[in-house]
Amino acid sequence: MDLTAPFPSRTLLRGAGFAARILILIGVLKAITPATPIVRLGAPQTVHTEQPAVCVHTRLTDEVEEWKIQRTASMVREMGAATIVEFFPWPYIEDKRGEYNWEHPDRILRHAENQGLTVIARLGLVPHWARPPIDEKVTTFTYLPEEYFEAYADFVRAFAARYRGRVDQIVIWNEPNLSIEWGDRPVDPAAYTRLLRLAYAAAHDGNPAITVLGGALAPTTEPEHSPSGMSDIVFLERMYQAGAAGTFDALAAHTYGFTLPPQDAPDPDVINFRRVELLRAVMERFGDGDTPIVITESGWSDDPRWTRAVRPGQRIAYTLDAFEMVKSWPWAEQLCIWIFRQPLDRQNRRDAYYALVSSDFYPKPIYEAIQAYARGWENPYAP
Amino acid sequence: MIARLVADAARALRWLRRHPRIAVLGLSAAALLIAYHLVTRPGAWFGPQDTTWRRSQINGDLYVGLDPSYPPFAEWTPDGIVGLEADIAREIARRINTTAHIQIMGFDGLYSALYTGGVDLVIAGLKVDPSQSSWVHYTQPYFDAGQILVSPSDAPIEEMRQLDGGTVAVEIASAGDIAAQRWSRRLGDLTVERFMLPDEAMRAVQSGAADAALVDTVSARLYVEGQPDLQLAGKTTAADGYVIALRKKDFRLAEEIDRALAGMIADGTLNAIIERWL
């Protein structure tokens, strides 16, 4: 070692200079890297509405960016809708049996509550572990074998208990009268009733004050034994015949107008808005007239490329008339419009034209018209 | 300016003469780059090949994705798939010496079918989608579905500006309604009258209640046919072009279809097809 060499040595100085340049580079890179958006809840809000029946079905379960969840909830509030229906898929929450991941539902509820919204939770789909192994049978996300009905009920119990006092209405399954929603199998009203009975008991076990919504039947005129589904009217009759009375606190109903105005008279062979009156008639016939109906899906599309759609002005007029009609029905509690917004319009054209705002949150005329109706303002799209 | 450029070039040449090795090296590199480009460009010996084009020419087929839920553009009838878009597809196929095999599918499946090679092109009222432009080649529009002015034949209106001091009829909550509201702020005195349906807006023009109607081109063309007292403006107020989508990697097919469509526009075939259906 040369102890006479000057300090600091040239090598050391060169190394220090190199380290300084690296540090500057890191600093520059850090400075130009876009920051992760910070989402703060802000002050709790209240929904101002003159029409408490106005409700909208959101689709936040597919939304990965938190600011979009917040923006959706705030736009729903600004529209004057006090209630949302939101989908909470079972496989997203209980990917491993008995292990629950509540992160995303917590996030959605945090923002909904912050905006003063009431949430109706729809619980459905099936995790992989509750379906047959793929090498044994190829099944869809809606295939729930009867031996796993208890497992679904356990999930319902856990959900109800966790969100007790925060989510007091849950919908059991979705459109079980369609084969596609029943695991691509022939639909089975008796089996659905068994599932509903188990879920009802479990939900009340988790939260005694909860309202269990059964049915959520799709409006269809498919005859019995059709491979694709069963008429919602017939399906509900079969449910009651299987002992469904007392297994739900309210009936969830889906009713769409397609090209017909809401005033169009109910007819079992026609899908129109007042078809829900036929469901009501079945309930009364089976002595279940005290059980209310919540319309959890409804609306009109204004897709210019779809023969079952209406013009934008008709969509507004029909929707506002439908709200008025629901107000006049003592047995109907809410009318939830399908759908507020979807994450990516180009991936689902059908829903893009049912949506009230575009994927980039641009409010459509229907949004402004519902807002004016709910908040008591002048309709900006009045004829 | 030119004299200075000539002087600079002369100086550069003198410098190269003084440094012949660098000159040779530079020229060789440039020649190599040009040669590389020539042999690897699309369609060249070592470049990517358009196998779709080759297949279509050998087999004489062209697979077309189409959503038949929108008459008169495309409709599924007992006689097969008919409509404006079906006719355009068949004419394009004929012009590139192939036969169109129309594959019907839902609108949401069109891009997937194109991506996976299920079809060679899609014609279904698509609009240019910038998010797909990395892999999709869009042709020029074959139809403009935008908002167009409809006015009396004896008092034609070609532009919104001409309506200052007048009345325009629109369909409630349509793109025409929103555009007219903007124009009413822009012009000094424009009255906007709203109607539930586009036909009602055009009837208002016929009755003299409005000077013109601003409605979508499809509704306008369907209504004005057989109404000699009305006429359409020469072009739309806001364009809304329908385009054909192809895979970018099928560069030769895209080139040929662009050429075929341009030919159809130039010789009036496209217009004749549109007139047949609208």
Side-chain angles (χ1 to χ4, degrees), chain B residues 219-260:
Chain B
S219 301
R221 292 187 79 114
L222 288 171
Y223 185 85
V224 168
E225 191 183 15
Q227 309 277 345
D229 57 332
L230 291 179
Q231 73 164 51
L232 303 183
K235 59 178 185 176
T236 54
T237 300
D240 186 13
Y242 289 175
V243 294
I244 299 170
L246 300 107
R247 289 177 293 270
K248 260 189 179 161
K249 70 182 184 67
D250 298 341
F251 52 90
R252 182 76 196 278
L253 181 67
E255 197 181 303
E256 295 294 337
I257 285 178
D258 279 342
R259 191 174 298 135

Side-chain angles (χ1 to χ4, degrees), chain A residues 99-327:
Chain A
E99 288 181 26
Y100 299 106
N101 178 357
W102 301 108
E103 194 182 332
H104 199 57
D106 281 352
R107 189 179 298 133
I108 292 170
L109 287 169
R110 200 162 52 237
H111 287 292
E113 285 170 340
N114 187 243
Q115 298 297 329
L117 304 176
T118 299
V119 177
I120 300 175
R122 173 154 77 85
L123 307 180
L125 297 189
V126 187
H128 63 94
W129 53 264
R131 289 158 47 201
I134 193 106
D135 50 358
E136 191 181 296
K137 187 179 175 71
V138 177
T139 57
T140 67
F141 279 116
T142 57
Y143 187 96
L144 179 63
E146 183 127 10
E147 58 267 32
Y148 283 94
F149 280 12
E150 280 283 4
Y152 175 76
D154 289 343
F155 164 67
V156 170
R157 182 185 292 105
F159 189 96
R162 180 176 180 85
Y163 297 116
R164 186 173 176 169
R166 298 172 69 195
V167 177
D168 288 333
Q169 295 177 82
I170 55 168
V171 186
I172 303 301
W173 217 255
N174 182 58
E175 301 184 337
N177 62 320
L178 294 184
S179 170
I180 194 171
E181 297 284 356
W182 196 247
D184 270 339
R185 295 171 293 178
V187 299
D188 187 345
Y192 174 68
T193 303
R194 289 195 291 278
L195 177 70
L196 187 56
R197 184 176 293 113
L198 286 169
Y200 180 85
H204 283 273
D205 191 23
N207 174 6
I210 207 160
T211 297
V212 172
L213 283 79
L217 304 175
T220 171
T221 55
E222 283 298 306
E224 215 163 354
H225 310 302
S226 156
S228 55
M230 185 189 293
S231 153
D232 43 340
I233 314 299
V234 177
F235 193 93
L236 187 59
E237 283 174 356
R238 299 286 173 268
M239 278 175 62
Y240 277 115
Q241 285 162 358
T247 61
F248 55 97
D249 303 306
L251 182 79
H254 295 178
T255 180
Y256 286 92
F258 295 108
T259 57
L260 300 167
Q263 295 82 4
D264 196 56
D267 178 337
D269 297 325
V270 176
I271 297 177
N272 58 15
F273 181 73
R274 286 179 63 194
R275 189 173 177 83
V276 67
E277 291 180 37
L278 301 176
L279 293 175
R280 184 67 195 165
V282 172
M283 294 172 77
E284 285 170 357
R285 201 161 64 245
F286 281 89
D288 206 13
D290 291 337
T291 301
I293 289 179
V294 179
I295 300 172
T296 51
E297 276 188 30
S298 187
W300 281 263
S301 163
D302 56 9
D303 184 349
R305 265 195 88 94
W306 193 29
T307 50
R308 302 194 76 186
V310 294
R311 306 296 301 191
Q314 290 175 311
R315 183 185 181 196
I316 289 172
Y318 293 177
T319 305
L320 301 187
D321 283 354
F323 280 125
E324 284 296 299
M325 208 170 268
V326 167
K327 263 167 64 180

Side-chain angles (χ1 to χ4, degrees), chain A residues 304-307 311-314 316-317 345-350 353 362 365-366 379-383, chain B residues 67 69-71 85 107-108 124-125 129 131-132 171-174 177-178 182 194 196-198 216 219:
Chain A
R305 265 195 88 94
W306 193 29
T307 50
R311 306 296 301 191
Q314 290 175 311
I316 289 172
D345 279 341
R346 68 176 167 77
Q347 284 188 340
N348 186 338
R349 183 185 174 99
R350 194 70 80 222
Y353 282 95
Y362 189 83
I366 182 75
N379 180 1
Y381 294 99
Chain B
D67 165 24
S69 66
Y70 186 34
E85 287 167 345
F107 192 91
D108 291 335
D129 182 350
S131 70
Q132 304 292 314
E171 176 195 4
I172 296 173
S174 65
D177 184 2
I178 292 160
R182 285 202 192 108
R194 287 164 151 173
M196 188 58 79
L197 299 171
D216 67 276
S219 301

